[in-house]
Amino acid sequence: MSPDRSRTSYQEAAAGLARRALGALRGAGGTAMVAEHVESAPDPGAALAAIRILGADTLAPALLAGAPVHPRDAEAVTLAFGALPPARDGTPPPPAGPAGPWLMAWRDWGTLTLLAVLSDQAGGGRARGLDGRPAAVRPAPPPPAGPAADGGDAWAAWSVTMGQLATLALPGLDGPVHDAARSSPLGLARGATRAVLRRDYPTAARIVRWLAWLHSEGVRIPLDPAPLVEHISLLAGGDRLALDTAIAGRLLGSG
């Protein structure tokens, strides 16, 4: 498979998994949503890659519903980490976007940590990563440096980077990236507002998720994220964006 076709296959699989996760979040579909995504896929490799691309949001429906992760779903997530990166035929690993391996490392940390949390809740013991260590204590890269409080414009690039890490903006996850969000709610508010004004709705939705997460944590933030979530959901489309706004709505206690 050519790199372009492979990337398209990954993107389509990720969109399909986001659509399934959104349906599960809204109460539709079967209980083993992730496993069904892999088992029904025309390209199982791309389906497994989609789990890595979607990150912790793969498990968000179970988390936000307060339900234990289905054992088949836990197996599918574990399989995704065992199967990638690349297979022997040279298929490239899932594309991680501009931040490359750094971003993928954080996504993986979030997915494995959340899997460990949900497995503990189910009474199945702590899930373990490929190195045999508990997933929740696997090392992660340093967090993105927060914007300086000197009135500069570092918040613009920083907020975009935080948006790329929006899959970590979920209950049950906490770490250096979350501390960075707590340290600069103003930078996130500016970033979300800037993205909306530029009609960059995917970026806006990702940054607003952090504002919604801060709100759910009781952190004072400089704007009400609820109107932004509603505005973005009305004007933008796409399965991934719809999942981001649905999760933000759940964090705000609506939707």
Side-chain angles (χ1 to χ4, degrees):
M1 182 181 294
S2 69
D4 287 344
R5 287 184 59 192
S6 178
R7 182 174 291 272
T8 298
S9 180
Y10 289 144
Q11 292 170 342
E12 291 175 351
L17 181 56
R19 189 160 51 249
R20 284 181 179 271
L22 182 62
L25 193 62
R26 292 172 173 170
T31 55
M33 176 269 297
V34 186
E36 291 171 0
H37 159 75
V38 176
E39 292 166 1
S40 64
D43 184 348
L48 291 173
I51 295 172
R52 300 282 295 280
I53 294 169
L54 208 63
D57 287 345
T58 302
L59 302 169
L63 174 72
L64 296 175
V69 63
H70 194 284
R72 289 175 58 210
D73 284 351
E75 291 174 3
V77 172
T78 302
L79 180 60
F81 282 88
L84 299 167
R88 292 181 181 179
D89 63 1
T91 302
W102 178 87
L103 175 59
M104 186 59 72
W106 269 116
R107 284 179 179 166
D108 289 349
W109 176 87
T111 307
L112 290 172
T113 301
L114 193 55
L115 179 61
V117 170
L118 292 171
S119 296
D120 276 352
Q121 291 176 355
R126 189 167 291 277
R128 294 186 176 271
L130 301 180
D131 56 7
R133 299 173 62 187
V137 297
R138 285 174 57 88
D150 58 2
D153 59 0
W155 58 266
W158 175 79
S159 64
V160 171
T161 299
M162 289 294 289
Q164 291 176 316
L165 295 168
T167 59
L168 303 184
L170 285 170
L173 292 177
D174 204 351
V177 175
H178 301 79
D179 291 338
R182 293 185 185 99
S183 71
S184 188
L186 179 59
L188 292 169
R190 286 175 171 175
T193 303
R194 177 176 181 265
V196 168
L197 292 175
R198 293 162 63 95
R199 299 184 182 179
D200 182 359
Y201 297 118
T203 297
R206 291 191 291 263
I207 300 175
V208 165
R209 272 189 59 173
W210 281 112
L211 292 171
W213 179 83
L214 289 172
H215 176 84
S216 72
E217 290 280 299
V219 177
R220 293 187 64 182
I221 53 180
L223 55 76
D224 181 358
L228 278 180
V229 172
E230 182 177 2
H231 179 78
I232 295 166
S233 64
L234 289 174
L235 294 182
D239 298 307
R240 189 67 185 87
L241 191 151
L243 181 59
D244 280 325
T245 55
I247 290 174
R250 286 296 183 93
L251 293 173
L252 294 172
S254 63

